[in-house]
Amino acid sequence: TNLASLILQMAALGLGAPEDFPFLDSPDTRMLNDGYRLLQELSAVDGDRRITRLGRRMAGLPVDPRLARILLEAGRTGCLAEALVIAAFLSIPDPRERPADKTEAADAKHAQFADERSDFVGVLNLWRAAREQAAGGNRVLRRWCKEDFLSFVRIREWQDLHDQLCDMTAAQELAVNSQPASGGVLHQAILTGFLGGIGVLDEDRTYLGARDTRFVIAPGTPLQKRSPRWIVAASLVETQRLYARMVAQVQPSWIESAGAHLVRRTYGEAQWVPERGMVMARETVSLYGRVLSSGRQVNFAAVDPATARRIFVEEALVRRQSGLRAAFLDRNDALRREIELLEAKLRRRDLLAHDDALVAFYLERVPADVASTRSFEHWWRVEERRNPHRLDLPREVLLAQPLPAFAPGDYPDTWHVDGNELRLSYVFDPTSPDDGVTLDVPLPLLGQLVPAQVDWLVPGLLREKVVALMRGLPKELRRGIVPIPDAADRFLRGLADSRGGDLFERLARFVTEEAGQATDPDVLRAVGLPAALQLDIRVLDAGGHELRRGRDLDALRREMRATGATVAQAIPGHAWERDGVRRWDFGDIPEDVRVRAAGVTLRLFPAVEDAGSSVRLRLCPGEEQARTVTRAGIARLAALAMPQQHDFVRRLCASDRDFTLLAATAGLGRSLFDEIADRAVADALDLEEGGGPRTGAEFEALVDRVRGRVADNGAEVVRVAKAVLMSLKEARTAVATLRAPIFAGQRDSVVRQLDALLAPGWVRHTPEPWFHQLPKYVRAAARRAERIRNEIERDRNLQAQVIPYESALRELDRAADPARPARERERLRWMIEEFRVSLFAQEFKTLMPVSAKRLDEQLRLARAEK
């Protein structure tokens, strides 16, 4: 033992390794190799200085170096009392005897000391029992040893060696614990000496040990039946198989703690964890090839500080994936958004610098030991007071290249609509439905958008739109304006600052002049444009939430039908509104009024609306709508102001017996008389479009001036109405003869025409000059019905010419916005009636020249009417 201690000290001092001493026999060499390996393992952590110190202390203990290492660790962790017992036990032959003829009896006696989790604890149990017996003297101890199949000599040797070790550890100033140590502390100390004896359960109760050894637990220990997952063995003995003796169940964390200087740690990919504000990685800990733990998250800054710092900067400061709140971050984000908006406006992706430039900027200014939100906040609290703009990004850092030149008004941020500034937003993403320019329009202002203004888009994108429109022209027109980019520049120079009117009409005139061929604006309107070159209109409710969006203003208006409904919501309680008005007592009619609703200012137009027995004061969203409504309302007020003249016309109708019978036959009743009287008053007023009184004095003067004309106008209206009813009787008689199924289509066509001509209110609402043409239209329908029986095929062919225009008119009526003017659509309707006369009853003269070509032109005008 002394020679072994000397050799171990020489090895610790670097004077040689155990294999350098060939005079030692094999067991001594193995013992020294174990101790020397322990010293080499420690060098990975503590260096040569501690190896020397630890080696000297281990050499001072005359036991196996592994046991010496256990004793030193036990003295440090407070379990030396138990470790001395175990070290002394392992240094002598096992005192437990097992005679061949009494194995079962011996096993039964030894089992009283066993522990199901640890053979080392079983040794402590045996020690305590032996000490109790030794207190009675050698005679008692000897008898007890004999009864329990124990060697008295070895028990005494165990006790003597224990006492010697106690003296030696005391000389090294190792404190013996007075209180029993816990099993976890004891086994961690044992593991420091027997790390090579660890094993993890594999299969069939076989354990994988250090350096790919495979062993099983030797028979005779309770752990053989339990097969715990992790064990440590004091020795591995090979007979038929490799057996582990003196075994204890341990936890992987104990092994990791005991072999901290030997374990191998590998890490998965480092990741930023916003919730914890640090860079984490999954750690795998292994010892001698056995994995002790896997998947545990650890702070990566302790593993690779530089990488963790860079990831922190990228994620927390550049990408803002953290809970950090700092003024410089808000300022930097605002500057970044400004450049991103410029990119969207200019439709480029090369202005904003790559994130690497921002990362480099922060790395230059953030200390090297900052790699988490907590450490950053601690540093920045102090630094911000000294230099609050230290981390403010300069504009040149965020710009990858200089900005191109453009005028401030080329890409406006707002859109002026009827005294309101609406927000414009820009997106550059051809794969997104939001690509291009988006206008946020509160619902009440949807009807105030001017389609011509929408077509001009924004100045910065106008050139690109003009080029796209020119390239979409037919080839024969494109040939006259190549190169197209140059032609687009000439067109834009010709605009100067006057960008009003219809874009397509102005561009059509330019192409006509350049190419020398007539260009229809509808050809340009039909060109398919990319979404980015059409204004995206987003309709918002009062809370700013999206209701609808689209790039076709007319389609949006048809979908929403929102103008009238929105105004109705906006104006309740307004001073102008009033019901049940029967005389002009409301003062002057203002040109317009301003109403604040849904966050915008609405320009509304006062109107006087006919309510039958009175008028209603209301506000209209459109000026033309207000004028139309007011003409009927003033006529009602005039009728109320001239009750005698109004009643005279009604009596005139009732006194005409033939007319009364015709009205009754037509199913119109006395309501027709009221309509005739109302029209007589309206015709006498002869209110021109846009005209009419706006003050009470003007109204009174007008009523006095026309009072004497009402009777004459009433007689004329009765004459026209009587002619219509007579023609209607004739037409219905002719239609009644078309009962056969073969005539069903033609019969329905005639009936629909008559129903449309004589819809409720036809006397009051049919405008001039079409009111005086009604008898002709009804007679023409009657004449057609009379001829269908003998000329059904000819009628079908003629009807086929009318059907496209009827369908187009119905589509226009469905899509019509009541707040918008409809003069061209109204004219189209009566031109279709004239066209029917020219086809089915040519003997009746038309009021105007009419043909399919003229109808096509009028249909174009009606569709273009906004």
Side-chain angles (χ1 to χ4, degrees):
T1 300
N2 292 333
L3 179 61
S5 299
L6 175 63
I7 298 301
L8 190 57
Q9 283 190 349
M10 293 175 65
L13 292 171
L15 301 179
E19 57 265 25
D20 296 330
F21 306 100
F23 54 84
L24 297 176
D25 60 12
S26 179
D28 288 335
T29 302
R30 284 198 301 272
M31 180 183 69
L32 289 174
N33 275 328
D34 289 339
Y36 190 63
R37 190 184 71 252
L38 283 171
L39 295 176
Q40 286 180 318
E41 291 168 348
L42 285 172
S43 69
V45 175
D46 296 311
D48 292 340
R49 184 176 300 175
R50 174 148 183 214
I51 293 175
T52 302
R53 187 176 70 252
L54 188 63
R56 286 175 178 172
R57 299 188 71 183
M58 289 171 60
L61 298 173
V63 292
D64 186 314
R66 294 174 297 178
L67 299 178
R69 180 71 183 90
I70 292 172
L71 292 176
L72 293 178
E73 182 67 15
R76 187 183 69 84
T77 58
C79 59
L80 183 59
E82 291 81 4
L84 285 169
V85 173
I86 293 171
F89 179 86
L90 294 177
S91 299
I92 63 170
D94 192 335
R96 291 170 293 191
E97 296 179 338
R98 197 166 179 265
D101 57 340
K102 298 181 180 179
T103 57
E104 292 184 3
D107 290 342
K109 286 292 185 178
H110 296 161
Q112 62 182 316
F113 311 115
D115 184 88
E116 63 177 4
R117 295 179 181 274
S118 174
D119 290 343
F120 297 100
V121 175
V123 169
L124 294 177
N125 294 335
L126 176 60
W127 171 260
R128 283 190 287 269
R131 297 286 284 186
E132 290 176 1
Q133 297 299 324
N138 286 338
R139 187 174 180 180
V140 175
L141 178 62
R142 190 184 298 275
R143 185 172 62 250
W144 176 72
C145 289
K146 183 176 181 179
E147 292 174 354
D148 286 11
F149 296 95
L150 298 171
S151 169
F152 172 77
V153 174
R154 290 175 182 171
I155 289 291
R156 294 297 303 175
E157 183 182 1
W158 183 13
Q159 292 175 343
D160 293 342
L161 182 55
H162 173 266
D163 294 341
Q164 294 175 25
L165 289 176
C166 286
D167 295 339
M168 293 178 182
T169 54
Q172 294 202 20
E173 298 181 353
L174 296 177
V176 177
N177 52 295
S178 58
Q179 297 295 326
S182 66
V185 173
L186 174 63
H187 286 90
Q188 287 187 64
I190 291 171
L191 279 167
T192 60
F194 296 132
L195 285 172
I198 63 170
V200 59
L201 186 64
D202 185 20
E203 55 184 13
D204 297 331
R205 298 188 177 182
T206 300
Y207 285 84
L208 293 177
R211 303 178 182 88
D212 294 329
T213 58
R214 301 178 69 86
F215 59 84
V216 296
I217 298 175
T221 173
L223 276 79
Q224 185 191 29
K225 298 178 180 179
R226 296 183 69 251
S227 298
R229 178 163 176 76
W230 285 94
I231 63 170
V232 62
S235 63
L236 296 175
V237 179
E238 187 170 4
T239 53
Q240 294 97 347
R241 300 181 68 178
L242 187 62
Y243 288 101
R245 298 187 180 277
M246 206 59 175
V247 181
Q249 178 180 346
V250 293
Q251 299 296 327
S253 59
W254 299 351
I255 301 173
E256 183 180 347
S257 176
H261 55 294
L262 298 176
V263 296
R264 182 185 178 193
R265 301 176 188 273
T266 57
Y267 301 91
E269 184 177 357
Q271 293 181 335
W272 173 252
V273 182
E275 297 80 11
R276 304 187 65 174
M278 62 177 61
V279 181
M280 309 291 287
R282 298 286 181 180
E283 181 186 58
T284 299
V285 182
S286 61
L287 176 65
Y288 299 141
R290 303 280 74 84
V291 176
L292 301 177
S293 67
S294 178
R296 181 170 60 199
Q297 274 197 332
V298 297
N299 184 1
F300 195 67
V303 180
D304 188 345
T307 301
R309 176 170 172 257
R310 183 177 183 87
I311 294 175
F312 161 74
V313 168
E314 290 175 348
E315 298 296 336
L317 302 184
V318 176
R319 299 192 179 97
R320 295 293 304 270
Q321 299 297 312
S322 73
L324 277 175
R325 296 290 180 267
F328 80 88
L329 288 173
D330 296 334
R331 292 191 294 269
N332 292 346
D333 284 350
L335 181 59
R336 184 168 185 161
R337 287 193 297 270
E338 180 183 333
I339 297 176
E340 288 174 344
L341 178 59
L342 285 176
E343 283 191 326
K345 288 180 176 181
L346 299 172
R347 302 191 64 75
R348 298 174 58 168
R349 278 287 179 265
D350 56 354
L351 296 179
L352 186 64
H354 193 271
D355 284 352
D356 290 345
L358 281 66
V359 171
F361 170 83
Y362 284 121
L363 288 176
E364 289 177 2
R365 290 159 176 79
V366 175
D369 59 344
V370 172
S372 66
T373 55
R374 179 175 296 179
S375 60
F376 178 85
E377 288 171 343
H378 178 73
W379 166 74
W380 184 241
R381 271 195 299 269
V382 178
E383 182 64 23
E384 188 177 21
R385 288 194 290 269
R386 293 199 300 259
N387 187 0
H389 297 287
R390 175 182 175 86
L391 297 181
D392 283 10
L393 282 165
R395 192 181 185 88
E396 55 270 19
V397 171
L398 277 172
L399 279 174
Q401 58 182 297
L403 287 175
F406 60 90
D410 285 350
Y411 302 95
D413 295 321
T414 58
W415 188 287
H416 180 78
V417 176
D418 204 13
N420 297 275
E421 296 293 330
L422 305 183
R423 189 175 77 94
L424 285 172
S425 56
Y426 297 80
V427 173
F428 177 33
D429 183 2
T431 65
S432 170
D434 303 339
D435 188 36
V437 189
T438 299
L439 173 65
D440 287 344
V441 183
L443 188 57
L445 288 181
L446 182 60
Q448 307 305 317
L449 286 183
V450 179
Q453 184 186 10
V454 170
D455 291 337
W456 285 98
L457 202 55
V458 295
L461 296 175
L462 182 58
R463 182 182 185 277
E464 187 178 349
K465 181 171 184 175
V466 169
V467 170
L469 288 171
M470 289 181 171
R471 284 178 174 159
L473 289 170
K475 186 175 181 180
E476 60 273 12
L477 291 174
R478 289 201 311 272
R479 279 199 298 261
I481 56 174
V482 292
I484 285 178
D486 293 344
D489 291 335
R490 290 195 300 274
F491 171 72
L492 295 175
R493 284 196 299 270
L495 293 176
D497 294 329
S498 58
R499 297 191 176 184
D502 190 293
L503 169 65
F504 300 107
E505 291 180 359
R506 297 188 68 169
L507 186 56
R509 288 198 298 270
F510 173 81
V511 174
T512 299
E513 295 171 1
E514 290 275 326
Q517 297 186 54
T519 305
D520 193 322
D522 285 343
V523 175
L524 288 165
R525 288 191 179 92
V527 173
L529 292 174
L533 297 180
Q534 304 173 65
L535 187 66
D536 184 22
I537 301 171
R538 195 162 70 108
V539 184
L540 308 178
D541 64 11
H545 303 106
E546 180 180 314
L547 296 174
R548 292 284 191 282
R549 72 185 307 160
R551 301 179 192 268
D552 186 334
L553 178 58
D554 290 336
L556 274 177
R557 284 172 173 165
R558 287 195 298 270
E559 287 180 26
M560 300 303 301
R561 295 292 187 193
T563 306
T566 302
V567 172
Q569 296 171 4
I571 62 177
H574 191 273
W576 175 258
E577 277 203 326
R578 186 148 55 97
D579 291 336
V581 178
R582 296 181 59 83
R583 60 189 181 86
W584 195 296
D585 59 357
F586 42 82
D588 299 345
I589 303 177
E591 291 292 334
D592 58 31
V593 296
R594 298 285 176 168
V595 176
R596 189 73 181 169
V600 296
T601 300
L602 299 177
R603 184 188 180 205
L604 303 176
F605 301 91
V608 180
E609 184 181 36
D610 182 7
S613 60
S614 63
V615 298
R616 179 187 304 115
L617 304 184
R618 55 170 288 199
L619 294 173
C620 295
E623 185 175 11
E624 184 66 27
Q625 181 188 19
R627 289 173 180 172
T628 302
V629 169
T630 299
R631 281 197 296 271
I634 288 178
R636 174 61 59 197
L637 276 179
L640 293 172
M642 297 183 289
Q644 294 178 350
Q645 288 78 2
H646 190 270
D647 290 341
F648 175 81
V649 177
R650 293 185 77 260
R651 290 195 302 272
L652 183 65
C653 298
S655 63
D656 189 332
R657 187 169 178 275
D658 294 337
F659 181 70
T660 303
L661 290 174
L662 286 171
T665 303
L668 298 178
R670 291 190 173 272
S671 62
L672 180 62
F673 301 165
D674 292 331
E675 287 192 39
I676 291 174
D678 290 344
R679 184 168 190 109
V681 173
D683 287 352
L685 294 173
D686 193 19
L687 298 176
E688 299 178 359
E689 291 188 7
R694 303 195 71 85
T695 68
E698 292 176 354
F699 174 73
E700 293 296 337
L702 177 62
V703 169
D704 290 341
R705 190 168 58 251
V706 304
R707 196 183 299 271
R709 297 205 297 260
V710 174
D712 293 339
N713 283 313
E716 177 61 17
V717 175
V718 170
R719 185 191 66 78
V720 174
K722 188 173 183 179
V724 169
L725 295 180
M726 292 176 64
S727 299
L728 177 62
K729 180 180 178 182
E730 180 183 348
R732 286 179 171 176
T733 301
V735 168
T737 63
L738 303 175
R739 296 178 179 175
I742 193 173
F743 304 124
Q746 273 53 49
R747 181 180 65 246
D748 292 344
S749 174
V750 174
V751 171
R752 283 196 304 272
Q753 179 188 1
L754 294 173
D755 290 343
L757 287 171
L758 304 180
W762 60 274
V763 174
R764 183 184 292 114
H765 299 308
T766 303
E768 290 292 352
W770 315 112
F771 178 71
H772 280 77
Q773 302 299 313
L774 282 179
K776 178 181 68 176
Y777 299 148
V778 178
R779 285 201 307 272
R783 191 62 51 86
R784 176 192 175 190
E786 293 170 356
R787 292 171 174 170
I788 286 174
R789 181 176 294 277
N790 298 321
E791 301 175 355
I792 184 171
E793 199 59 41
R794 174 180 175 275
D795 188 272
R796 286 173 179 166
N797 293 334
L798 295 176
Q799 178 64 13
Q801 299 181 46
V802 181
I803 286 176
Y805 302 107
E806 288 181 319
S807 301
L809 179 60
R810 283 195 297 271
E811 182 65 28
L812 288 173
D813 287 338
R814 280 195 297 269
D817 184 345
R820 313 301 297 182
R823 296 185 185 89
E824 302 300 339
R825 177 161 52 90
E826 185 73 16
R827 182 176 176 82
L828 175 64
R829 177 195 174 183
W830 299 110
M831 284 184 67
I832 292 174
E833 295 299 331
E834 292 285 304
F835 190 50
R836 284 197 180 97
V837 172
S838 69
L839 293 176
F840 298 108
Q842 296 178 353
E843 63 271 26
F844 302 139
K845 293 182 179 181
T846 58
L847 183 64
M848 64 178 70
V850 64
S851 63
K853 183 177 180 181
R854 293 176 185 270
L855 277 175
D856 290 337
E857 174 61 20
Q858 185 59 36
L859 179 58
R860 185 188 69 80
L861 294 175
R863 285 172 172 166
E865 190 173 46
K866 300 297 185 181

